[in-house]
Amino acid sequence: MNARVLLREAVVSIVINVAITIGFFFAVFGLSAPIPGGAFGADFLPQAFFVALMGTLIPSLLIRRGSGTAIAPVIVRAFLLAIGSVIVAGGGAWLVFSHVASVPAAPALGIKIAFAAILSAVVTPYAVHRAMTAPIRNRP
């Protein structure tokens, strides 16, 4: 049962984060011209933060709903994972693409989609597992 829940939440997170990524990509960059490498690289920083935040906070809160467990640890964990994702994943992507002159728009979209999917696939199962295994506090 737990493995199915983790898989379900990961897939939902991937689908939602990829859809949001596509929307923001078209709003910010479009598909008409190559994207300067520095701008493309810098865009991974907020993307990493929000993909990790939404990929951990929402599913974890839904798992904890009605369980009688505290939500503060879920919120703290989500923000810490989001900050860590900015540093590791977003920072790594930024370093790579800041050294590139430009990225053609269509491959750039594919890269952003893959980034969102991979990051969601990493952070969501971890956070959901932690939310599912949290001790239930005693109710008076």
Side-chain angles (χ1 to χ4, degrees):
M1 174 75 173
N2 287 347
R4 288 198 329 215
V5 171
L6 293 176
L7 179 62
R8 180 192 71 217
E9 293 302 325
V11 169
V12 168
S13 177
I14 289 167
V15 169
I16 290 171
N17 280 315
V18 163
I20 292 170
T21 292
I22 292 169
F24 274 100
F25 184 89
F26 280 106
V28 173
F29 299 117
L31 280 179
S32 61
I35 303 163
F40 184 64
D43 191 59
F44 283 95
L45 300 171
Q47 181 187 15
F49 181 84
F50 287 108
V51 165
L53 183 66
M54 291 300 105
T56 58
L57 183 62
I58 303 304
S60 295
L61 288 174
L62 290 172
I63 292 293
R64 299 278 282 275
R65 175 186 60 210
S67 68
T69 58
I71 63 166
V74 169
I75 295 168
V76 170
R77 185 178 308 111
F79 275 97
L80 291 174
L81 284 168
I83 291 167
S85 294
V86 168
I87 294 167
V88 176
W94 175 72
L95 284 173
V96 168
F97 289 105
S98 65
H99 294 28
V100 173
S102 66
V103 181
L109 176 59
I111 292 166
K112 293 295 250 174
I113 289 170
F115 181 83
I118 292 166
L119 187 55
S120 295
V122 170
V123 299
T124 302
Y126 171 77
V128 169
H129 174 72
R130 293 292 308 263
M132 288 171 32
T133 58
I136 297 175
R137 65 180 178 213
N138 293 329
R139 294 184 186 187

